[in-house]
Amino acid sequence: MLKDHWRKTFIKWLTTGRIKLKGHYTFIDKITLQDELVGIDKGLYVAEESVNGFEYDAIAAIAEHPNVFFWHRNRDKKEFVLNGFINHYPDFIVRMKSGRTLLIETKGDHLANAESVDKIKLGNKWADLAGDKFRYFMVFESKEVEGAITLKTLLQYLNDL
């Protein structure tokens, strides 16, 4: 399968130093929205892109946490991407008051599948290479998935981030 070849090649190139993490992302000054989200504080922009049911519940709970400085809805195929053996656009970028930046991918429990596992592996590898100021979390509603956490657990982690 082609995806298996991409994964093996990506891991080999990371291991041998052919691929390096290059930090160059900056937030743009202004965004244009297709569908505006209403009712959640601490968004980076005056308005943020709309989200679905669990995404809304997750970011609303995250934004209420006192350690959160701001959050941003990372728009698919338009903004920040983890470019590896797959391209992964985590749902949210969250800046903590401590200066740490969190990438958060939210998943309904029904989305525990091979694609989610690939995203977990890529996100965790990115976080390992990015350094202490960065974290990646795949967050499921309540399902226990290896390498991922539940929303309840993430909210507890925010106390220490």
Side-chain angles (χ1 to χ4, degrees):
M1 177 183 223
L2 188 55
K3 193 182 239 183
D4 290 333
H5 172 71
W6 292 342
R7 184 182 299 106
K8 287 177 187 174
T9 301
F10 180 74
I11 291 167
K12 177 183 175 186
W13 287 0
L14 275 175
T15 303
T16 60
R18 187 169 177 182
I19 295 176
K20 298 191 185 318
L21 186 69
K22 184 176 180 181
H24 64 275
Y25 183 79
T26 56
F27 291 106
I28 57 177
D29 293 331
K30 183 179 176 183
I31 59 174
T32 303
L33 305 175
Q34 292 180 9
D35 190 18
E36 186 176 314
L37 173 66
V38 178
I40 300 178
D41 291 333
K42 298 183 187 171
L44 177 60
Y45 297 97
V46 172
E48 292 283 347
E49 188 80 35
S50 181
V51 296
N52 69 34
F54 177 58
E55 290 172 337
Y56 184 93
D57 294 343
I59 199 59
I62 292 165
E64 286 181 9
H65 198 282
N67 290 347
V68 170
F69 181 53
F70 70 80
W71 65 274
H72 171 59
R73 170 71 161 118
N74 187 41
R75 296 173 302 153
D76 194 33
K77 296 184 175 62
K78 293 183 181 174
E79 295 182 26
F80 184 84
V81 61
L82 297 178
N83 185 359
F85 58 93
I86 58 171
N87 286 332
H88 174 25
Y89 296 82
D91 295 322
F92 301 103
I93 301 170
V94 177
R95 177 71 51 86
M96 304 301 293
K97 290 181 180 175
S98 67
R100 282 197 176 99
T101 300
L102 316 180
L103 297 184
I104 299 173
E105 173 74 1
T106 55
K107 292 284 184 190
D109 288 346
H110 65 287
L111 294 172
N113 55 34
E115 181 180 332
S116 295
V117 171
D118 283 343
K119 288 179 178 182
I120 291 168
K121 288 177 182 174
L122 182 59
N124 287 337
K125 188 61 175 174
W126 171 84
D128 288 345
L129 294 171
D132 189 52
K133 293 278 187 192
F134 302 92
R135 299 287 188 275
Y136 173 87
F137 298 102
M138 180 169 289
V139 179
F140 282 88
E141 284 182 87
S142 59
K143 190 166 187 155
E144 303 271 334
V145 175
E146 187 175 344
I149 59 175
T150 63
L151 178 57
K152 180 179 178 182
T153 300
L154 176 65
L155 295 174
Q156 292 169 349
Y157 285 2
L158 295 181
N159 292 321
D160 297 321
L161 292 168

